[in-house]
Amino acid sequence: MEKVNYTISERMPTVLEHKQLWESVGWGSLNTEMSERSLATSLYGVTVTIDGAPIGMGRIVGDGVMYFYIQDVAVLPSFQGQGVGKAIMRHLLTYIEKRRHDDGIAFIGLFAAEGKTEFYEKFGFKNGFPQMTGMLTVLD
C-alpha cells in the first residue's frame, strides 16, 4: 500500500469541510448553522488535507480539565486504512494528556460508528465498564 502524503493541521475544520467529511462517512445530512456553532465551542480540532483538500478531521469537546469527548473523527472512505485516523487520534490524545489536570484523572469518551470499535480499542478505549452504563438520548 502506498503511503499517503498528507498534512495534519491543528485547526478546526471549516463548516464546509466538516459537512463534506461528515456526509462522506454516511452520518447523514448536516445542518451547517448548527455545525458552525458547535465547531466554534470545541476545545481543539485537527484537519487532515492533501493539497489543501480535506480528507480527515477530529475534534474534542468538554470542560478541558476533567471531561473530554472525542468527536467527529472521520476520514474519507478512499483514505481509510492508511494511517490517517491513527494520526488524528494521536493528536487528540496528546492534546488531552497535555491539558488535563495534573493531579486528577481525565475521563475521555467517544461513540464509535458501527464496525469501528476495534480501531478505538487500539487506543485503550473499551465498550463500557462493569460499574457504568453508557446512555444517550437525542433531541430532534
Side-chain angles (χ1 to χ4, degrees), residues 111 134-140:
F111 282 101
M135 298 179 78
L136 161 74
T137 189
V138 177
L139 301 176
D140 56 6

Side-chain angles (χ1 to χ4, degrees), residues 8-13 18 21 27 39 42 44-48 56-61 69-75 88-89 91-92:
I8 188 163
S9 303
E10 293 184 279
R11 70 168 178 83
M12 212 57 63
H18 188 238
L21 291 165
W27 292 342
L39 291 169
S42 299
Y44 175 76
V46 294
T47 303
V48 184
M57 66 177 177
R59 64 185 177 119
I60 299 171
V61 299
Y69 188 84
I70 295 176
Q71 186 66 44
D72 297 344
V73 175
V75 176
I88 291 169
M89 285 298 294
H91 273 77
L92 298 177

Side-chain angles (χ1 to χ4, degrees), residues 13-106:
T14 67
V15 173
L16 293 179
E17 290 170 336
H18 188 238
K19 180 177 176 59
Q20 176 189 355
L21 291 165
W22 175 288
E23 293 177 357
S24 78
V25 295
W27 292 342
S29 182
L30 184 64
N31 177 306
T32 55
E33 284 183 34
M34 180 180 66
S35 171
E36 182 175 31
R37 290 177 60 193
S38 182
L39 291 169
T41 59
S42 299
L43 295 173
Y44 175 76
V46 294
T47 303
V48 184
T49 58
I50 294 179
D51 297 326
I55 65 159
M57 66 177 177
R59 64 185 177 119
I60 299 171
V61 299
D63 64 19
V65 179
M66 186 173 174
Y67 296 101
F68 300 87
Y69 188 84
I70 295 176
Q71 186 66 44
D72 297 344
V73 175
V75 176
L76 283 177
S78 59
F79 291 97
Q80 291 177 8
Q82 300 179 47
V84 178
K86 288 179 186 173
I88 291 169
M89 285 298 294
R90 282 193 297 270
H91 273 77
L92 298 177
L93 293 171
T94 296
Y95 173 90
I96 293 169
E97 185 62 38
K98 289 180 179 178
R99 278 143 187 97
R100 72 186 188 108
H101 192 277
D102 290 338
D103 297 328
I105 61 174

